[in-house]
Amino acid sequence: MRHWARRGAIACLLWPLSLVFRFAVALRRVLYKVRLLKSEHPGIPVVVVGNVTVGGSGKTPLVIWIAEHLKKKGWTPGIVSRGYGAKIESPRAATIADAAADVGDEPIVLSRRSGCPVWVGADRVAVCRALRAAHPDVDALILDDGLQHYALRRDVEIAVVDARNFGNGFLLPAGPLREPPSRLRSVGAVVSHASSVPGYPMKLKGDTLHRMTDANDRRPASAFAGQRAHAVAGIGEPNRFFLQLGKLGIKVVPHPFPDHHAFKPADLDFGDEAPVLMTEKDAVKLRRAARPNWWVLPVTAEVDAAFGEWLTRRLDGFRRSKAA
């Protein structure tokens, strides 16, 4: 109780700064809208997947789902990401051979799971140019976490909201919001990931784990049911991972870490030989130090079919306009 009271008191103290941030956010968006701040379009359809809160909400699995959906519909998509946490001096490709410290953790997962070209860098406009130059066959771009990157003009905006909804309702630094909730009224679609906010429903599915030292050693989660296991998560909402494992019948010992935590092997030394279960995003940072009792649970987005139909209609409109 005292913890929550302390957090509430801090939020109240920071509330004036939150108002300043809200004004700056609104002004910046207006300046881009009236073209007083420069923005650029890469020349092919841009689908932005983002959120209005800080931290992960399920964007990366949704980006993978969209990439797979577009490929089924005859598109050749490429993916653009910030490469959070990595020091990237100029646009570059991110592949499964790269280290997370060099390109970020999520881009490696995106590259492995999507089979699409994935390029990273802070200047998303420059990254789009570099990706297109290297892959002229790419005819659509998916931007992972770029809702507020207004320097890149976009054609489709998708906002993901998870079970945390809007937290305490305050913008940074008093709360978790990058933009006010009203921003959702201007996006093309809202994807509701276990959220009370209306939108296309999305779930994350995953019930098969693989051993980090041997990806071919795959076991159903039922093989761990009733066992005590350490669960490690350095994601936006670690409790989501712990609850998922608990629903699979595993006796979870939770170990939450900050989002994008730069894991070291010592972080997973819990003084026993119990299995250590982790997310795919965290595993990419530890794969070169893998141990036999470390296991990974990949997840896949399951999205309402109506969302795919909506996205197809939107992108088919670009095809028709290009052919005209």
Side-chain angles (χ1 to χ4, degrees):
M1 183 66 74
R2 276 183 288 182
H3 169 72
W4 289 107
R6 190 181 305 114
R7 290 184 64 176
I10 292 172
C12 288
L13 288 173
L14 294 174
W15 178 68
L17 292 176
S18 180
L19 293 179
V20 174
F21 184 78
R22 178 187 285 265
F23 174 77
V25 164
L27 178 62
R28 178 174 174 269
R29 190 162 179 237
V30 167
L31 292 176
Y32 272 113
K33 195 169 184 177
V34 299
R35 304 291 174 88
L36 288 178
L37 288 178
K38 183 181 178 182
S39 62
E40 185 175 316
H41 192 280
I44 56 177
V46 176
V47 178
V48 169
V49 179
N51 57 7
V52 296
T53 59
V54 173
S57 56
K59 297 185 298 295
T60 298
L62 181 60
V63 168
I64 294 168
W65 187 95
I66 291 171
E68 293 173 345
H69 178 78
L70 294 188
K71 286 195 288 186
K72 290 175 185 175
K73 298 299 179 180
W75 294 87
T76 304
I79 299 174
V80 171
S81 175
R82 167 67 178 86
Y84 184 89
K87 294 181 180 179
I88 305 168
E89 294 182 358
S90 59
R92 58 164 293 179
T95 71
I96 59 174
D98 286 309
D102 296 329
V103 298
D105 46 23
E106 289 163 343
I108 296 174
V109 176
L110 289 167
S111 178
R112 175 190 293 160
R113 294 283 296 276
S114 72
C116 297
V118 178
W119 280 61
V120 295
D123 183 348
R124 258 62 70 90
V125 173
V127 175
C128 289
R129 286 197 215 105
L131 190 156
R132 291 203 67 197
H135 301 275
D137 57 323
V138 165
D139 55 10
L141 294 170
I142 308 168
L143 197 64
D144 181 27
D145 193 18
L147 195 59
Q148 291 77 32
H149 197 81
Y150 294 117
L152 178 67
R153 297 206 296 273
R154 67 288 308 267
D155 304 286
V156 179
E157 288 186 328
I158 300 163
V160 186
V161 185
D162 68 3
R164 295 169 295 171
N165 293 331
F166 308 119
N168 62 7
F170 292 153
L171 269 70
L172 295 167
L177 294 177
R178 301 170 174 177
E179 294 185 285
S182 59
R183 174 72 170 88
L184 297 184
R185 294 200 291 266
S186 63
V187 303
V190 174
V191 172
S192 184
H193 178 204
S195 170
S196 59
V197 176
Y200 294 105
M202 178 180 83
K203 297 179 181 179
L204 296 183
K205 297 288 188 178
D207 58 8
T208 301
L209 296 102
H210 69 259
R211 193 189 297 270
M212 276 191 69
T213 52
D214 181 5
N216 292 318
D217 186 354
R218 297 176 178 270
R219 301 185 189 181
S222 58
F224 296 84
Q227 289 189 48
R228 176 178 172 274
H230 298 283
V232 173
I235 58 178
E237 180 50 42
N239 198 47
R240 184 169 64 223
F241 180 61
F242 305 148
L243 290 173
Q244 181 181 9
L245 294 175
K247 290 177 182 177
L248 295 171
I250 301 169
K251 295 180 179 179
V252 175
V253 181
H255 301 277
F257 288 83
D259 195 16
H260 298 284
H261 179 69
F263 280 100
K264 298 176 182 178
D267 293 332
L268 277 64
D269 186 0
F270 303 119
D272 57 37
E273 294 302 315
V276 177
L277 316 181
M278 68 189 78
T279 70
E280 191 174 16
K281 173 178 154 180
D282 295 325
V284 300
K285 289 172 279 194
L286 290 159
R287 56 188 171 174
R288 292 173 185 173
R291 295 176 185 173
N293 65 325
W294 292 359
W295 295 81
V296 185
L297 180 67
V299 295
T300 301
E302 187 177 89
V303 191
D304 187 350
F307 172 75
E309 294 168 2
W310 169 83
L311 183 59
T312 298
R313 289 195 301 271
R314 289 294 306 269
L315 291 177
D316 281 350
F318 296 111
R319 275 182 169 160
R320 286 193 296 270
S321 62
K322 186 176 181 179

